[in-house]
Amino acid sequence: MTDKDIEHTDERGYGPGPWWADLGTWGAVALIAFGALAAAWVYFRLPGTSDELASGYYQAARVITIGLVIAGCTLLGRRRDRAAAAKETGDKGADRA
């Protein structure tokens, strides 16, 4: 067999990506709200809260942080798209928004 007979593909079999990759703006808002609810749950020491409060706050902060990063990336992407569309049409007033 020569190299010409072997079909080369670029598929490596990786998974689709992280679980939060396609959440969008509303998913980010939901994560932020869920993280705030989890922090309140730990603060009031409701059932299911561990004895180590710092770990509960840490987990809630991680969820909130992921939500904030997703929201920021989504909003920056929209702003970039809007600026590119304004540049195509020559509209200078949309660049300041």
Side-chain angles (χ1 to χ4, degrees):
M1 246 185 181
T2 63
D3 286 338
K4 294 178 184 178
D5 296 333
I6 299 173
E7 181 180 338
H8 295 284
T9 61
D10 206 21
E11 188 175 324
R12 292 189 172 89
Y14 294 125
W19 59 268
W20 46 265
D22 294 325
L23 288 179
T25 305
W26 289 111
V29 170
L31 279 178
I32 294 167
F34 180 72
L37 179 67
W41 191 278
V42 171
Y43 178 77
F44 290 117
R45 295 186 176 125
L46 296 174
T49 304
S50 67
D51 293 334
E52 187 64 39
L53 296 179
S55 67
Y57 287 126
Y58 174 71
Q59 297 298 327
R62 285 177 54 186
V63 172
I64 292 171
T65 302
I66 291 172
L68 288 172
V69 168
I70 293 170
C73 291
T74 303
L75 294 175
L76 283 175
R78 286 184 184 175
R79 184 174 179 184
R80 235 181 253 132
D81 291 343
R82 188 181 313 148
K87 193 173 187 179
E88 269 184 19
T89 60
D91 184 18
K92 294 184 182 187
D95 288 339
R96 293 183 216 149

